[in-house]
Amino acid sequence: MTEQLFLTDAYAQQAPAQITEHTSEGGLVLNQSVFYATGGGQPGDTGSLSWSDGAGDHHLPITNTVKGEAGRIVLIPAEGEPLPAVGQEVTQALDWDRRLGHMRVHTALHLLSVVIPLPVSGGSISAEKGRLDFNMPEAPEDKQALEDALNALIARDLEVSERWITEAELDANPELVKTMSVAPPRGNGRIRLVRIGSADEQIDLQPCGGTHVRSTAEIGPIRLGKVEKKGKQNRRVYLHLGG
């Protein structure tokens, strides 16, 4: 199992690690990872590994990160590049601008589910925009009002934090789960909740295994994009960073 450093510090851009495995598909498994693996609508991280050995200094681009078996995180290296040996100590470094974009968009999408308080059937994140699919038979009557409400929440500089509950506690509080298409990560007995706002003035609380900014002010202004009809009962709502 790979230790998920991004869960305890989403702002860690570099960290040491040791290569523990080469997968049959050519991927690399580390003992600990700052790289987030694709999941929950959030893309896998990119970046690089660097190390030194008897042959000299090496720099290996990482083009994607995916989930492997038994809790492993698998880094996908650029094709045709020499790989570090199993047991090799390496330094991992994120493509930080891309990751930070994912964090800003991810937190903004949690707030979008607040200003549109409807069940979510899907979602997707990129470094500059994101979208949620809602159970929404009719398009919003006033998209500008939703955008204004979203930007007002962002401007409040609300704290974004986490806490953990047991799987039994989640089962007893099913209303915490907003996304019907993505089940909260289970298997180790604990569920991570991401909270926006304080315990006394909570704006949002939902299960999430992704990475987020520390404060809504870091998102910056956003604008709502097009609203697409995706079926009789569904609307897809896009948001874009940068206002």
Side-chain angles (χ1 to χ4, degrees):
M1 184 172 182
T2 307
E3 182 181 355
Q4 302 176 44
L5 299 179
F6 52 82
L7 284 182
T8 54
D9 184 6
Y11 286 79
Q13 301 179 38
Q14 296 188 8
Q18 184 180 60
I19 305 297
T20 60
E21 182 183 344
H22 288 187
T23 70
S24 58
E25 294 82 13
L28 298 170
V29 180
L30 309 181
N31 65 329
Q32 57 180 13
S33 176
V34 296
F35 288 79
Y36 176 84
T38 303
Q42 181 172 331
D45 283 324
T46 58
S48 65
L49 298 180
S50 58
W51 70 97
S52 299
D53 57 21
D57 297 332
H58 306 272
H59 181 85
L60 175 65
I62 299 300
T63 62
N64 196 12
T65 308
V66 299
K67 294 178 181 178
E69 297 180 352
R72 294 178 179 86
I73 291 177
V74 181
L75 277 57
I76 308 301
E79 292 186 9
E81 299 285 342
L83 303 181
V86 172
Q88 176 67 52
E89 300 287 341
V90 299
T91 298
Q92 48 188 322
L94 291 178
D95 178 345
W96 177 243
D97 288 343
R98 181 174 179 269
R99 156 68 89 75
L100 184 58
H102 294 163
M103 291 162 61
R104 293 169 65 202
V105 170
H106 201 158
T107 306
L109 289 176
H110 278 220
L111 289 176
L112 182 61
S113 74
V114 173
V115 300
I116 304 179
L118 296 172
V120 175
S121 57
S124 180
I125 295 165
S126 74
E128 297 178 349
K129 65 181 181 179
R131 52 94 172 164
L132 289 179
D133 298 344
F134 292 94
N135 277 11
M136 183 192 299
E138 302 296 333
E141 293 184 3
D142 191 343
K143 189 174 73 171
Q144 186 61 51
L146 293 175
E147 181 178 302
D148 292 345
L150 187 53
N151 277 311
L153 285 174
I154 289 169
R156 286 175 60 184
D157 195 14
L158 297 163
E159 179 187 9
V160 183
S161 60
E162 66 177 48
R163 68 184 181 93
W164 295 80
I165 62 173
T166 66
E167 293 181 3
E169 286 176 296
L170 181 64
D171 293 337
N173 296 275
E175 71 280 358
L176 289 172
V177 181
K178 294 186 176 183
T179 306
M180 299 176 295
S181 62
V182 180
R186 291 175 177 259
N188 61 4
R190 299 197 308 159
I191 300 291
R192 177 177 180 253
L193 300 180
V194 171
R195 169 189 282 145
I196 300 177
S198 65
D200 294 332
E201 190 180 6
Q202 182 172 285
I203 303 301
D204 186 54
L205 182 70
Q206 58 180 293
C208 183
T211 58
H212 291 269
V213 291
R214 296 189 182 106
S215 163
T216 59
E218 295 182 52
I219 299 169
I222 62 90
R223 69 175 175 85
L224 291 184
K226 58 186 176 181
V227 178
E228 294 180 340
K229 186 174 183 178
K230 304 302 290 185
K232 186 176 180 180
Q233 298 293 323
N234 295 96
R235 294 293 185 280
R236 176 168 292 176
V237 181
Y238 289 86
L239 63 77
H240 300 257
L241 296 179

